[in-house]
């Protein structure tokens, strides 16, 4: 059974960098069949795709967030990470990590439970 | 504002059918047969219920079906049950510049 678990600070100050890690179990990031993704949901709102990364390190980003997003992958610990710089209150959201099938599109088949990140001083 | 347009709400009585639309453009829904639908209960992560326009993952009841015509995709829930009351989101692949887009979500109420 594939499981994903987000971890990271629940509170970030404005202008600082949000950092989250997703730990994957039940599958190997190195297997190559998937993109490893971050998706967020503003309170009471819809879903917004942020970015995904392949095990090689190739990263694909939402154009609206690209200038602030950095992703990395740690295959030895089966983890991948998100850094979002220069955050504002508009970045307050539940952040999900998810697995995206490489052979299809928009196919996020396993999700973490989500972690709420609040941007506030 | 979400890239894909969904009605904010939909409703139906138990046993009835309800269809939720998802309108995109010729750059996303209209160009690729990569439309997915997700079901989300309050406080929970989304769950994949339809992929590749009309394919169901293992374990998803066949009461859920998907289709597409032009720039609009649709999710139909037949034989509505109380447990179908949830938020539903569509998503589409949008090519190698935009990558992935989501709809704003539809709250389905079972009357």
């Amino acid at each position: 059974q594939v499981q994903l678990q987000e971890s990271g600070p629940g509170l970030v100050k404005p202008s600082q960098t949000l950092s989250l890690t997703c730990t994957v179990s039940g599958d190997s990031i190195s297997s190559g069949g998937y993109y490893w993704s971050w998706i967020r949901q503003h309170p009471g709102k819809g879903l917004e795709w942020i970015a995904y990364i392949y095990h090689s390190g190739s990263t694909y980003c939402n154009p609206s967030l690209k200038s602030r997003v950095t992703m990395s992958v740690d295959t030895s610990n089966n983890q991948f990470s998100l850094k979002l710089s220069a955050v504002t209150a508009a970045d307050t959201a539940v952040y999900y990590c998810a697995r995206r099938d490489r052979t299809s599109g928009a196919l996020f088949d396993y999700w973490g439970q989500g972690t709420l990140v609040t941007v506030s001083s | 504002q979400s890239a894909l347009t969904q009605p904010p709400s939909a409703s139906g009585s138990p046993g009835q059918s309800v269809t939720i639309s998802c309108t995109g453009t010729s750059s996303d829904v209209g160009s690729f047969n990569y439309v997915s639908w997700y079901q989300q209960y309050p406080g929970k992560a989304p769950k994949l219920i339809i992929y590749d326009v009309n394919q169901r993952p293992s374990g998803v009841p066949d009461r859920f079906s998907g289709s597409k015509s032009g720039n609009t995709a649709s999710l139909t829930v037949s034989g509505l049950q109380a447990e179908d009351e949830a938020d539903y989101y569509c998503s589409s692949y949008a090519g190698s510049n935009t990558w992935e887009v989501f709809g704003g979500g539809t709250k389905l109420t079972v009357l």
Side-chain angles (χ1 to χ4, degrees):
Chain A
Q1 176 72 352
V2 179
Q3 293 185 314
L4 295 89
Q5 179 68 58
E6 305 90 351
S7 59
L11 181 64
V12 182
K13 289 180 168 33
S15 80
Q16 294 191 341
T17 296
L18 177 161
S19 297
L20 295 173
T21 295
C22 183
T23 301
V24 180
S25 58
D27 188 14
S28 171
I29 287 178
S30 300
S31 67
Y34 302 94
Y35 294 116
W36 301 93
S37 315
W38 290 97
I39 294 161
R40 70 181 182 180
Q41 186 169 32
H42 295 102
K45 302 295 185 183
L47 300 166
E48 180 182 30
W49 173 73
I50 299 171
Y52 41 56
I53 191 167
Y54 194 51
H55 71 89
S56 63
S58 296
T59 304
Y60 309 85
C61 294
N62 185 324
S64 69
L65 297 169
K66 186 175 182 178
S67 63
R68 298 195 292 131
V69 167
T70 303
M71 285 192 70
S72 60
V73 62
D74 178 356
T75 53
S76 61
N77 288 307
N78 221 30
Q79 296 176 327
F80 62 102
S81 298
L82 169 73
K83 291 187 186 299
L84 182 65
S85 64
V87 297
T88 70
D91 294 308
T92 294
V94 174
Y95 287 75
Y96 295 99
C97 57
R99 189 180 82 167
R100 195 275 215 180
D101 190 293
R102 186 167 173 256
T103 63
S104 183
L107 202 172
F108 300 95
D109 58 355
Y110 285 95
W111 296 62
Q113 64 186 22
T115 187
L116 174 63
V117 179
T118 301
V119 179
S120 175
S121 56
Chain B
Q1 186 172 354
S2 300
L4 305 178
T5 300
Q6 298 181 235
S9 63
S11 63
S13 299
Q16 288 186 332
S17 292
V18 64
T19 297
I20 299 170
S21 63
C22 170
T23 301
T25 70
S26 58
S27 297
D28 38 62
V29 175
S31 285
F32 305 98
N33 288 324
Y34 294 139
V35 176
S36 296
W37 289 90
Y38 299 87
Q39 177 189 61
Q40 186 181 35
Y41 293 113
K44 299 295 187 182
K47 173 190 173 185
L48 177 70
I49 58 172
I50 295 287
Y51 67 96
D52 292 354
V53 176
N54 57 14
Q55 302 299 302
R56 278 187 312 277
S58 173
V60 173
D62 60 7
R63 302 185 294 102
F64 293 91
S65 62
S67 62
K68 191 187 87 165
S69 178
N71 297 338
T72 299
S74 299
L75 171 73
T76 298
V77 186
S78 305
L80 269 175
Q81 299 182 3
E83 67 203 51
D84 299 330
E85 187 162 294
D87 293 326
Y88 292 84
Y89 293 91
C90 62
S91 180
S92 174
Y93 181 67
S96 59
N97 286 314
T98 307
W99 303 106
E100 315 281 4
V101 290
F102 280 94
T106 297
K107 182 176 181 59
L108 175 60
T109 300
V110 180
L111 301 170

